Amino acid sequence: PKYSKRSVEATVLAVFDGKEFPQSETRSISTNPDDAPVIGVLLDRTNFYAEQGGQECDTGSLVSSDMSSEFTVESVKVYNGYVLHTGFLKYGSIKVGDVVEAQYDVQRRLPIRNNHSATHVLNLALRKVLTSEQPDQKGSLVAPDRLRFDFTCKNPIKPEEIRDIEAMCNKAILDNLSVYAKEVPLSEAREIYGLRAVFGEVYPDPVRVVSVGADIDAILKNPKNPEWENYSIEFCGGTHVSRTSDMSVFVIIEESSIAKGIRRIIAVTGEEARQAQLLQKSLANEIKSLHSLKGAELDTEIKRFAKVLDPAAISVYEKHLLRTEFDDIRKKFDDAEKAAKALASKQAVDQVKQVVEQNPDQEVFVIQLPAAGKAMAQAAMHVRNLKNKAAYFIAVDGPRVAHQCIVGKPLIERGLKASEWAKCVSEIVGGKNGGKDESATGSGTEVAKIDEAIMAAEEYARKQL
């Protein structure tokens, strides 16, 4: 019944409170909201899928035939062959002998079913694309929101191989293939050409065979036919779609190495896959908009987008394409920034040289530069090498005012100290300053007061000298 019926009528065989098997339980969320116990219920039959084979369990409810009680099922596991439904009593009571309607949560099972069938399709695609690797399954997880598949693979998978694996899975979905399942004697099932099974796993006899696209009855008539290698045929007790189109779409959102020779793929189907596609299109539009930006605005967007792209749950291959385009934009911006800073540095030094050469007898210079950063540092270096001059440089640096002063030793001895000079300017442009007698720097926020700061710097130097 777990493969076909949404609800079944069952009889309670036992109630387990974690230590003992009482005949009944009456403490429910409605009567004991703070201490309603977690209990286990054993039924004579069940349609719930118990956690096994990498697939997460069903959740749902057990409702009494007279509707007087409801038990919420949060977990289903197998213990020594017994399927235990674990959860809590929502209202009413539950006792041995009760007849209940066992109902699993369809909205949870459907995406799990999609993802389990997707692991089978993925397994086949890996074998077809990574032919030289001969990948073997090493583990899996089938959850409502994703699937995880671990497999042997010695070398990193190329982006183009990821693209082909994903495309092959989506072709299987578009082909709307029938999914067949049947219990087959183990000895007969092992004869099927190309059949996949997890190495070391112990399978029951008879064993359930799941085939995507090939009728199992046809397979059993000619099990040695090499053609079966082109189909996904596996031993599996999990829940599956009836047709591959139920999966809607398949997207690989992560591919990585988890151990030497073992790689992992995480993928999504259905609604999660559609959301991944929508996010990818949104990010593609954002990258497109970067081409029209320049300067500080582009710099801000590049830093923001870098933080958004890396963790984005989108197709690994599509992310590779977006990252390639983004890296190209970032490189061009960085190259342009380097060139602009080099030009600004040269212009700043040339500006200082020209002013000093035109005024050889002048001891103090207060100059507004076209840029801060390296340009200001190199201008300061030029003055420092002159030994007997003093200069104050001020520049607008985005939303801030950057300033730096250099004072030669002869002028320090006459009373002009860089640290005090910088303090005078900081009182006008705000922010902080610091340094020593021969050199000081500062950064403020009052960009509109830069002219006032220049006048103050000039006046301060005149008074000190």
Side-chain angles (χ1 to χ4, degrees):
K2 67 182 177 182
Y3 298 120
S4 57
K5 294 185 178 181
R6 193 270 188 227
S7 65
V8 297
E9 189 175 87
T11 300
V12 176
L13 298 182
V15 176
F16 181 59
D17 64 8
K19 294 181 179 179
E20 300 176 337
F21 290 88
Q23 287 297 300
S24 65
E25 178 59 65
T26 59
R27 291 170 293 172
S28 67
I29 291 294
S30 61
T31 60
N32 297 68
D34 296 327
D35 61 350
V38 174
I39 60 174
V41 176
L42 182 66
L43 304 174
D44 67 332
R45 62 200 298 258
T46 184
N47 58 338
F48 280 76
Y49 184 86
E51 179 182 316
Q52 57 188 331
Q55 178 176 326
E56 291 189 357
C57 67
D58 285 329
T59 60
S61 60
L62 308 177
V63 182
S64 62
S65 56
D66 61 1
M67 306 294 287
S68 64
S69 68
E70 180 178 342
F71 179 80
T72 298
V73 180
E74 295 184 308
S75 174
V76 184
K77 293 184 179 181
V78 178
Y79 298 93
N80 294 324
Y82 294 97
V83 178
L84 192 66
H85 307 73
T86 303
F88 59 89
L89 197 58
K90 191 173 181 181
Y91 59 86
S93 63
I94 191 166
K95 64 180 185 298
V96 175
D98 278 353
V99 176
V100 297
E101 192 77 14
Q103 304 172 341
Y104 61 75
D105 182 351
V106 175
Q107 297 306 311
R108 175 179 167 84
R109 172 168 302 190
L110 290 180
I112 290 178
R113 179 199 66 174
N114 293 346
N115 289 336
H116 203 150
S117 295
T119 63
H120 287 220
V121 174
L122 172 61
N123 196 358
L124 175 64
L126 288 169
R127 300 202 314 271
K128 292 299 181 183
V129 174
L130 306 177
T131 51
S132 63
E133 292 284 353
Q134 297 182 328
D136 262 328
Q137 181 177 344
K138 285 297 179 182
S140 66
L141 169 70
V142 180
D145 60 338
R146 71 194 187 285
L147 64 96
R148 188 182 72 209
F149 194 81
D150 300 339
F151 56 98
T152 58
C153 185
K154 296 178 182 178
N155 300 305
I157 303 177
K158 299 174 183 177
E160 293 73 21
E161 291 172 327
I162 291 288
R163 174 199 62 196
D164 294 345
I165 292 166
E166 191 173 87
M168 187 172 291
C169 291
N170 279 307
K171 184 180 184 305
I173 291 172
L174 289 173
D175 288 345
N176 195 24
L177 304 172
S178 293
V179 178
Y180 303 88
K182 185 176 184 177
E183 288 196 342
V184 178
L186 186 58
S187 59
E188 291 183 36
R190 290 191 182 278
E191 296 298 313
I192 299 173
Y193 193 94
L195 180 135
R196 306 297 290 181
V198 178
F199 180 77
E201 187 81 13
V202 177
Y203 292 98
D205 190 6
V207 64
R208 189 166 180 259
V209 177
V210 175
S211 168
V212 180
D215 190 324
I216 294 176
D217 289 333
I219 293 172
L220 294 175
K221 288 178 181 178
N222 187 12
K224 298 290 188 180
N225 187 347
E227 175 66 18
W228 306 137
E229 192 173 37
N230 296 318
Y231 294 89
S232 167
I233 307 170
E234 300 188 27
F235 291 162
C236 183
T239 57
H240 287 274
V241 298
S242 56
R243 303 192 71 86
T244 54
S245 61
D246 293 347
M247 292 181 275
S248 180
V249 66
F250 175 92
V251 176
I252 296 173
I253 60 171
E254 187 178 324
E255 189 281 323
S256 61
S257 171
I258 60 169
K260 186 177 180 180
I262 306 292
R263 301 196 73 83
R264 169 173 291 173
I265 280 178
I266 295 177
V268 290
T269 62
E271 182 59 29
E272 283 76 16
R274 285 190 289 271
Q275 290 300 318
Q277 290 180 325
L278 288 174
L279 178 57
Q280 183 271 325
K281 290 178 181 178
S282 174
L283 294 175
N285 287 332
E286 287 191 44
I287 282 189
K288 187 177 180 181
S289 70
L290 293 180
H291 289 286
S292 62
L293 302 179
K294 294 180 180 179
E297 188 178 8
L298 177 56
D299 185 30
T300 299
E301 283 302 295
I302 283 176
K303 291 174 181 176
R304 181 196 64 81
F305 189 79
K307 295 178 181 178
V308 172
L309 180 60
D310 286 341
I314 62 174
S315 165
V316 169
Y317 178 69
E318 293 297 335
K319 183 184 287 189
H320 162 71
L321 296 180
L322 292 179
R323 184 176 283 115
T324 300
E325 184 178 358
F326 176 64
D327 287 346
D328 183 59
I329 293 172
R330 180 159 51 184
K331 183 178 185 304
K332 288 179 179 177
F333 173 77
D334 289 343
D335 290 345
E337 282 290 287
K338 288 178 183 177
K341 288 178 180 179
L343 179 61
S345 296
K346 183 179 183 303
Q347 289 175 339
V349 173
D350 289 346
Q351 179 184 352
V352 173
K353 282 182 179 180
Q354 184 179 13
V355 171
V356 173
E357 288 172 0
Q358 290 175 350
N359 303 276
D361 297 329
Q362 188 172 325
E363 294 180 308
V364 179
F365 302 88
V366 178
I367 302 171
Q368 182 175 352
L369 297 178
K374 190 175 181 180
M376 185 173 287
Q378 291 194 351
M381 180 64 71
H382 177 74
V383 174
R384 182 180 285 111
N385 292 335
L386 297 178
K387 307 293 185 182
N388 61 346
K389 303 287 185 183
Y392 210 116
F393 303 115
I394 301 180
V396 176
D397 187 20
R400 303 186 68 82
V401 177
H403 52 102
Q404 181 174 356
C405 57
I406 298 294
V407 181
K409 189 174 181 180
L411 300 181
I412 295 174
E413 293 173 349
R414 290 166 55 190
L416 182 60
K417 297 181 179 180
S419 57
E420 295 176 2
W421 202 8
K423 182 179 179 182
C424 162
V425 172
S426 287
E427 288 175 354
I428 297 173
V429 299
K432 297 180 179 180
N433 66 277
K436 299 180 180 180
D437 290 351
E438 65 275 10
S439 176
T441 60
S443 178
T445 57
E446 301 294 334
V447 176
K449 294 184 179 181
I450 193 168
D451 290 336
E452 183 183 344
I454 291 172
M455 292 174 62
E458 291 174 337
E459 181 62 25
Y460 181 85
R462 270 196 299 268
K463 287 182 177 179
Q464 297 304 114
L465 298 174

